[in-house]
Amino acid sequence: MPTYGLGLLLVTTYAHSFSQGLLQPSRQVLRHIAVEKSSASSSRTLTPRPPSAISVFFANENDKKPPPKNNINEAQNAASGSNADLLQTLQLKDEAINQAQTAVSSLESALESAVSNLENMQQQLRLKVKNLEDELKTTRGELTATRSELDKVRVELAGAKVKLENSNDARGGLEWALGQSQEEARKAGERVEQLEGYLADLGVDASSVMEKKRTENNPWQMWGSSLKSLTPVPVLDDWVIIKGSTEGEIQISGKVTNHPSIPDGDAIVTSPLSDASQAVEKKVVTTLSGSKYKLGTPMVMPSKQSLSKSVTQASSSQQLAASRASIALPTLTGNTIGNGRYLLAGTATPSVNGRSFIQTAYRASPLGKPMGEPLAIKVSQNKEAMKREFANYQKVAAGLKRGNFIKRVEFLPVAGQEMPDKSALVMQRGIADVKAFMPKVGGRLEGAMLYDCAMTALRCVEALHAAKLVWNDLKTENFVVIEDASGVSFRGIDLESCMPVRTNPVDYTPEACPPEFAKAFLDGEADTFLLEYSYDVWSYGMFLYEISTGQGFFDGLTAEKITKMLPTFQPNVQDVPDQQLADLISQCLMTNPKDRPSFVRISRHPYLANSSSKTPFDFLFGSSI
């Protein structure tokens, strides 16, 4: 393997360096020996070899002369020096050989250690490679299983899509069949009404004829007519008309007596009536389920003057009819909005400031038919204001305190190809705003209905202040009435004017603005006016005065005149029937904003605290639920 070759090269290089270090002294010794030998060679070349004993003998014999003593001594000295140098050279050579042997032994040990390390590394690498191969094999198996599951899910989704398409087709067919059935039922109802009218002209009781016909058709039903005539018809007192779940249907809510299974005095809500025109006092009404009820005394709506003032039956019926007039739903116009998602109905109503309009709408079914409860759509060309309003709703909804605001269904930044230059906000539909609702219930709110409206406004402002927003437009037109089987409740709307605290307002309503803003407006400083929470406290006081008396302080006056009157305005609350409520209104309408109470103090005021046991439904049945 490449890694093994690299390790061997490193070990060889290390051993070479190590041997170079160990042999360095030996090389020096050998170099010294070579120099010595060279010197000796030079000496032998330059110094005459001493004569041997034989040559001296022959020379002596020939010459008959004794050799010179000096030459003999010199030869002996030279031989003695040469032997010493040779001995020294041999000693150095032995030392060099020993050092070389030691270096070779060390090198062999290093090589053996390196080879052993390399073998260990190679074994470890082989083990890691095997582990990686096992992990890779496991991962490959898991991926294969996941791919199989994904294929199964893809197949199931395709099947579900086909089923959904089939169910949508079936639903469309059912809606068409339902429409046909409703049309047939309507025609049958018209025919029944014609027959009942014909029988009434002949003086024949239509219900007895139908009962007799049913008995004749059912031979097993004996004594049906006679037994039913002995059963008393349940009576509903303190009754009110409420809207049914289907357009055009009405139901009756009241206290029942003489019911075969429900205790006397219990409150009930009937099934939709078969004939809404029969919902008149002392008449017997029949529901679509076949039940019959006799309508006794209707609920008496509070009068404008006093809660305890009696109301005649005629005026009560007129008030009830008027209070429910807004329940009548408008017809479809044939126009749509939101690229056909919503069907428009009725006429568009402009807002108080004229910058937007409100219109009833329905969700459109796949077949283009209306479905579900009626909705309200607010449409405006001021896209920035609409965007700001929706963002304010979102801020409040994200907080711990959410208030009692209208339910939002959908925000359309572009109101579809039908109105590309406008934005739209789809909301829950109320039957009327509080200002328009009060004349239909005697001119003002009283009792638990007054308390519920006051608490709704309080909760809405508390939620806005918790989000660090100032409403800047708290008024009766910005609360709508929601009516359902549980009764009447109130919801806040229209947050397009809300701005963060201590910022500048974008617009204002003269009837709701405090004196300090009116003065700034007259001085040309409205654009630099800083909004404080005390602004809404003043507006809340004006709101409470109007819902408790049925009229505002400045009704009938122009915006210019109201603005000029406000800096010196001194409110008079003598017309407020409840003294505790009058005290709360006086505190909220202090001219100096620093003297006005906070909403924490307002929530603890005796009027609101003493009404804690009330519920918004007390006005229907006279007791807490």
Side-chain angles (χ1 to χ4, degrees), residues 553-609:
F553 283 111
F554 305 116
D555 285 354
L557 300 180
T558 63
E560 181 181 359
K561 191 168 184 179
I562 296 172
T563 306
K564 289 181 179 179
M565 291 175 58
L566 275 171
T568 58
F569 174 69
Q570 295 296 325
N572 185 349
V573 297
Q574 292 181 354
D575 293 338
V576 179
D578 191 299
Q579 294 302 315
Q580 289 183 337
L581 179 58
D583 176 70
L584 175 59
I585 294 172
S586 297
Q587 292 185 36
C588 293
L589 297 182
M590 298 296 291
T591 304
N592 187 346
K594 295 182 180 180
D595 296 335
R596 297 171 200 155
S598 65
F599 275 96
V600 174
R601 287 180 52 196
I602 291 174
S603 64
R604 298 172 182 171
H605 190 273
Y607 171 75
L608 300 176

Side-chain angles (χ1 to χ4, degrees), residues 62-89:
N62 294 328
D63 295 335
K64 302 295 183 179
K65 294 182 181 179
K69 290 183 179 182
N70 291 335
N71 290 338
I72 294 173
N73 291 335
E74 289 179 359
Q76 290 177 350
N77 290 336
S80 176
S82 177
N83 291 334
D85 291 340
L86 181 60
L87 180 62
Q88 184 178 2
T89 299

Side-chain angles (χ1 to χ4, degrees), residues 402-419:
R402 301 183 180 182
N404 290 348
F405 289 101
I406 200 75
K407 295 179 181 177
R408 284 83 58 202
V409 177
E410 183 180 7
F411 174 61
L412 303 174
V414 178
Q417 59 186 3
E418 302 93 339
M419 302 179 186

Side-chain angles (χ1 to χ4, degrees), residues 51-65 67:
S52 63
I54 296 175
S55 61
V56 171
F57 175 76
F58 282 107
N60 293 331
E61 286 294 329
N62 294 328
D63 295 335
K64 302 295 183 179
K65 294 182 181 179

Side-chain angles (χ1 to χ4, degrees), residues 263-520:
D264 290 349
D266 279 9
I268 66 170
V269 178
T270 69
S271 301
L273 302 185
S274 59
D275 186 359
S277 64
Q278 297 297 313
V280 182
E281 185 178 0
K282 296 183 179 180
K283 282 272 190 178
V284 176
V285 296
T286 304
T287 66
L288 293 177
S289 62
S291 301
K292 292 186 177 183
Y293 298 90
K294 182 178 180 180
L295 300 183
T297 305
M299 183 187 70
V300 178
M301 305 301 290
S303 64
K304 182 176 180 180
Q305 287 76 18
S306 172
L307 181 63
S308 60
K309 182 178 179 180
S310 62
V311 181
T312 63
Q313 293 179 357
S315 63
S316 173
S317 299
Q318 293 173 358
Q319 286 181 346
L320 285 172
S323 65
R324 306 302 183 218
S326 58
I327 296 179
L329 296 173
T331 57
L332 297 174
T333 63
N335 298 324
T336 64
I337 196 171
N339 295 328
R341 292 205 302 276
Y342 299 95
L343 308 177
L344 297 178
T347 58
T349 303
S351 61
V352 177
N353 55 26
R355 291 191 295 267
S356 60
F357 65 86
I358 308 292
Q359 192 165 359
T360 302
Y362 291 88
R363 288 187 178 92
S365 71
L367 297 179
K369 300 291 184 180
M371 62 180 185
E373 292 292 325
L375 303 169
I377 292 189
K378 178 179 180 180
V379 182
S380 175
Q381 196 167 1
N382 190 343
K383 293 185 177 182
E384 287 300 321
M386 294 290 289
K387 183 178 179 181
R388 180 172 61 248
E389 179 174 9
F390 181 70
N392 288 335
Y393 278 123
Q394 295 297 93
K395 288 179 182 178
V396 173
L400 296 177
K401 294 183 177 181
R402 301 183 180 182
N404 290 348
F405 289 101
I406 200 75
K407 295 179 181 177
R408 284 83 58 202
V409 177
E410 183 180 7
F411 174 61
L412 303 174
V414 178
Q417 59 186 3
E418 302 93 339
M419 302 179 186
D421 60 332
K422 296 178 176 63
S423 295
L425 181 61
V426 187
M427 303 170 288
Q428 178 186 14
R429 181 182 183 270
I431 62 174
D433 62 53
V434 170
K435 194 176 190 69
F437 180 74
M438 287 191 295
K440 301 176 182 180
V441 290
R444 63 178 177 176
L445 304 183
E446 295 182 336
M449 192 185 294
L450 171 62
Y451 170 77
D452 183 41
C453 188
M455 285 300 299
T456 297
L458 175 65
R459 294 188 187 103
C460 288
V461 179
E462 286 179 334
L464 288 170
H465 289 189
K468 299 190 182 304
L469 295 172
V470 178
W471 195 339
N472 186 30
D473 202 18
L474 196 165
K475 56 187 180 183
T476 54
E477 292 93 331
N478 284 344
F479 287 88
V480 296
V481 181
I482 303 296
E483 188 171 18
D484 51 28
S486 62
V488 171
S489 58
F490 304 91
R491 296 288 185 272
I493 62 170
D494 197 359
L495 301 185
E496 68 177 73
S497 299
C498 293
M499 295 296 292
V501 65
R502 297 195 62 77
T503 60
N504 309 123
V506 292
D507 57 15
Y508 82 105
T509 300
E511 296 88 340
C513 74
E516 60 270 20
F517 177 80
K519 183 178 182 304

